[in-house]
Structures are given as structure tokens and as C-alpha cells.
Amino acid sequence: MKIISWNARGLGNPSAFRQLRLLVQQQTPHVLFLMETKLACNVVSRFRQSLKFNNGLKVPRVGLSGGLMLLWKDNVDVTLLNFNANLFDCYMKCDTGPTWHFSAFYGAPETQNRIHTWTLLERCKDVAPLMPWLVIGDFNEILSNQNKLGGALRSEAQMDKFRNVLDSCYLYEQPYEGDPYTWIKGRLNTNATKERLDWCFVNDQWQQSFKQITTHHLDYFKSDHRALSVIVLPLEDQLPNNPRRSQFRFEKLWLSDPAAAAIIQKEWKKNLPGTSVENFCSNITSCANSLQLWHTHKYGNMKKKDQRSS
């Protein structure tokens, strides 16, 4: 499934909406997260219909600024956990793939208020600490002055707060393709300021269920922010009825390896939404997948080794 994140810098005029429609036509996303829509109430149904999304949520503007919108297709299952002027936080699932934690995030534009959005992000971590988690959006902050071209250098103390919250949440930057800067000020000037303010992060549980993500920095579409595109693909062994999925086999040598016991304990502590039976089945599957992945990394493919030696 494809996710698009874009700070549109206003969608109230026909020209801006044409640019949004062009973005959707070019990228055909399954999930669309929009920031700074600057739209009032009672507009989400019109946008859903025009852009051909059957589902949507919105946060209206405050005064003449702000405003968020999240739209998604019918094959995406969204369970909303929380939302406000800076966030949509939910569980997400596409078709028959695994469930994951998704946060569409908008960092406060005002430097003095950004600390509050960092606190908000830390609270999201506590919602499902053992689930795969993806956070995407405009964070209004850079990780280092290497993410900046032109203008005054950013305060190290200010960037430290951003780095610290990512460390606290165990979130990691993803590789990208495209121009290194996602925001520009003074585009027509030769001394324009450029920064990488838009990011996609995942936690360390992500790789257990999903493939590596690459963030694509797209065009500006007449905003001052580039749109971001990411594709979420589950690992093959996470798909139901996958013919390539190998049969699970408990290896005797695991009994003497403390790492195996630690994996089992970790997987059985998960408390996902659903009935007790669903949680039981999910934990069994997750435990088996984690043990097989760990075994392959540490011991290699024993089945192939046995075949070669016979």
C-alpha cells in the first residue's frame, strides 16, 4: 500500500485543489495525509468524493491556520485511537496483511510549542510499544545542520530535543530518494533557505513484519513542502496462505540459548486489540516468525545444511 504525506499550505482555492488532485492522480495512494489544509468544518465529504476516497477524517483549522485531513481507501482498515490539531493516531491494516501502529504527525510550527508535540509523540509510543510503528509527516524540525541549506544555523539545543524524543520512542530515520530538502523559503531567490522538515520514521519492531521503507521526496505541487511517498509491504511470511512460507519447527538447541527464551517472553507480552482467541493466535504466529528470523540470522538455514551434508 502507498501512503502520501503532504503539507499543502492551504486547499481552499481551486488552484490548490487542482494541485492536490494532480498529486493523487500521479501517485494513486491508498492513504493520504494532508497538513495545513486551512479548511473549516464540513468539507471532508466533498474532498473524499472528489478524490475518490470512501473514508476520511478531518481536524478543522484554528483561526486561519492549521487543519489536518486523513483519507483512505476501502481496502485499508483504520481503527482511530486519538486525534487532535497535530496528530491522527491509529491502528492500520491493508487487506489481509498484519496490523500496525500508524501516526500521521504535524509538529508545531512555533518553536516554543514544539516541546508539546514531542510529548504527544512520546505518549503515542506507549499505546502499542511492541507493535510495528510508522510515523510520517511534517515535524518542522531538522536532525542536524546537514539537513539545512542557507539561513542561520539551527540551535543544537533545539535539535537535541528532537533527537532525544526519537531515541526515547525508538524511532529511526528511513533512507530517502530525491532532493535532500523537503521545504523551501524564497524559492525564487538565489539565496533560498532549504530544510528537511518532512520525515518518515519506524521503530525496531517494523522489520519483523514489514520490508524496508524508502521515503520518496516528490514535487512541491506549488506548496513550499514536497510531498512524501512511502510504500508499506509486509514480509512474505506475514501474508496468509503464502505458498513460500516454511513450516515452523522447534529446534532443540533453542532450549540452551537464553536469546530464544527472551524472544518468547517478549512476543507473549503483546496485548493487541481483539478477543483472547485472536490475541492467542496472533502471539503464536508472531513468536514463530521471530524465532525463525532469529534462528536464520544466528545459525543459518539448518534445513539446507542438512540436505547438503546428506
Side-chain angles (χ1 to χ4, degrees):
M1 63 177 289
K2 179 182 286 189
I3 300 172
I4 294 290
S5 169
W6 186 40
N7 186 328
R9 297 293 292 171
L11 292 172
N13 62 73
S15 175
F17 181 77
R18 284 195 295 270
Q19 291 298 313
L20 173 59
R21 189 162 54 190
L22 176 63
L23 169 62
V24 171
Q25 289 173 348
Q26 287 183 358
Q27 297 296 320
T28 60
H30 302 87
V31 177
L32 178 63
F33 172 48
L34 300 170
M35 295 153 283
E36 285 288 343
T37 62
K38 301 183 181 181
L39 297 173
C41 300
N42 305 320
V43 296
V44 67
S45 59
R46 177 168 61 87
F47 274 74
R48 284 196 296 102
Q49 293 170 4
S50 299
L51 299 173
K52 296 182 172 53
F53 287 89
N54 289 334
N55 312 281
L57 295 165
K58 61 96 176 58
V59 176
R61 70 191 183 199
V62 178
L64 297 177
S65 63
L68 305 179
M69 190 179 297
L70 184 68
L71 306 175
W72 65 94
K73 299 288 189 177
D74 279 341
N75 65 328
V76 180
D77 183 19
V78 173
T79 302
L80 183 65
L81 301 172
N82 186 22
F83 72 100
N84 54 44
N86 300 97
L87 174 80
F88 288 112
D89 195 44
C90 56
Y91 293 131
M92 190 169 283
K93 179 179 179 180
C94 184
D95 295 322
T96 56
T99 301
W100 45 290
H101 185 192
F102 174 70
S103 299
F105 187 83
Y106 179 48
E110 306 84 6
T111 304
Q112 68 273 16
N113 293 333
R114 213 159 293 155
I115 187 64
H116 303 303
T117 51
W118 300 155
T119 301
L120 181 63
L121 191 59
E122 286 186 313
R123 290 176 179 170
C124 291
K125 175 200 67 173
D126 297 329
V127 169
L130 298 178
M131 287 185 71
W133 185 23
L134 184 149
V135 187
I136 193 170
D138 172 13
F139 289 75
N140 270 308
E141 192 54 271
I142 58 177
L143 285 172
S144 77
N145 278 299
Q146 292 181 343
N147 302 138
K148 181 179 177 63
L149 179 67
L153 293 179
R154 184 79 99 252
S155 161
E156 285 293 332
Q158 185 176 325
M159 293 185 293
D160 274 342
K161 293 176 182 177
F162 185 29
R163 293 188 288 248
N164 289 341
V165 73
L166 295 177
D167 290 342
S168 174
C169 294
Y170 304 103
L171 290 171
Y172 305 98
E173 173 191 353
Q174 298 305 288
Y176 70 88
E177 291 185 358
D179 192 281
Y181 309 106
T182 65
W183 172 82
I184 186 169
K185 179 180 180 182
R187 187 186 309 179
L188 300 179
N189 300 332
T190 56
N191 58 345
T193 300
K194 299 180 180 181
E195 296 178 345
R196 186 181 179 189
L197 301 180
D198 304 83
W199 302 85
C200 178
F201 302 103
V202 300
N203 67 353
D204 48 9
Q205 275 78 36
W206 186 262
Q207 63 181 0
Q208 297 181 16
S209 301
F210 296 93
K211 296 181 180 180
Q212 169 73 60
I213 281 180
T214 298
T215 306
H216 296 268
H217 296 174
L218 306 177
D219 197 357
Y220 289 103
F221 294 90
K222 295 191 176 179
S223 171
D224 56 0
H225 282 262
R226 294 184 181 275
L228 299 190
S229 168
V230 297
I231 296 178
V232 175
L233 294 173
L235 297 175
E236 291 178 354
D237 63 2
Q238 296 292 314
L239 297 173
N241 303 319
N242 192 313
R244 300 186 192 178
R245 187 171 182 172
S246 59
Q247 184 177 2
F248 176 74
R249 180 180 66 181
F250 190 93
E251 300 292 347
K252 186 176 179 180
L253 62 86
W254 294 349
L255 296 173
S256 58
D257 195 324
I263 290 172
I264 294 171
Q265 290 177 350
K266 176 184 175 183
E267 296 300 331
W268 279 97
K269 287 181 180 177
K270 291 183 177 180
N271 186 18
L272 302 177
T275 65
S276 298
V277 174
E278 289 172 340
N279 281 332
F280 178 80
C281 295
S282 177
N283 286 346
I284 286 180
T285 301
S286 181
C287 186
N289 291 336
S290 296
L291 284 170
Q292 286 180 316
L293 182 63
W294 164 78
H295 177 98
T296 302
H297 286 168
K298 185 166 185 178
Y299 298 104
N301 192 323
M302 295 192 68
K303 183 176 180 181
K304 289 183 177 179
K305 290 180 180 178
D306 293 341
Q307 290 175 344
R308 286 197 297 267
S309 59
S310 60

